[in-house]
């Protein structure tokens, strides 16, 4: 199934996927740099969610959140950390 969500900035998908790979590998997950989205299967297995390649319409919102939450949450935490670091180096007057 094709990806339905689109990035607002053309060409940003590769950078987002690279960022996901970096963040999740730092959290101790095995991430294939060529396909960082596969980390969701490792997280699903860890959480006991029956995620499989292809259609997963049988999953509840709660189960989907158990998979996507750790990925997105860790990415947001890292973005906030980076922003705080940049602000501390260049405080606004």
């Amino acid at each position: 199934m094709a990806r339905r969500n689109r990035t607002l900035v053309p060409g940003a998908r590769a950078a987002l996927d690279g960022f996901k790979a970096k963040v999740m590998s730092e959290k101790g997950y095995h991430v294939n740099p060529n396909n960082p989205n596969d980390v969701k299967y490792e997280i699903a297995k860890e959480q006991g969610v029956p995620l499989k390649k292809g259609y997963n319409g049988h999953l509840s919102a709660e189960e989907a959140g158990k998979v996507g939450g750790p990925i997105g949450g860790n990415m947001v935490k890292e973005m906030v950390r980076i922003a705080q670091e940049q602000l501390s180096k260049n405080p606004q007057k």
Side-chain angles (χ1 to χ4, degrees):
M1 175 178 242
R3 185 182 288 248
R4 290 184 300 192
N5 56 349
R6 302 191 193 287
T7 56
L8 292 175
V9 178
R13 175 58 53 198
L16 286 170
D17 285 345
F19 183 66
K20 179 189 300 181
K22 174 185 171 285
V23 169
M24 296 311 289
S25 64
E26 287 174 356
K27 292 293 179 183
Y29 292 98
H30 171 68
V31 181
N32 177 353
N34 297 322
N35 198 357
N37 286 322
D38 283 353
V39 75
K40 65 186 171 189
Y41 299 109
E42 184 178 348
I43 292 171
K45 184 177 179 183
E46 184 180 273
Q47 297 291 327
V49 175
L51 183 70
K52 60 184 191 305
K53 291 192 185 256
Y55 180 72
N56 285 286
H58 64 283
L59 293 181
S60 69
E62 179 182 7
E63 289 172 319
K66 284 182 179 180
V67 176
I71 296 170
N74 284 315
M75 289 175 69
V76 169
K77 285 178 191 174
E78 181 63 11
M79 286 186 273
V80 169
R81 187 197 65 73
I82 291 168
Q84 288 174 333
E85 183 178 291
Q86 288 177 351
L87 284 172
S88 70
K89 289 179 181 177
N90 300 314
Q92 299 296 318
K93 294 180 182 179

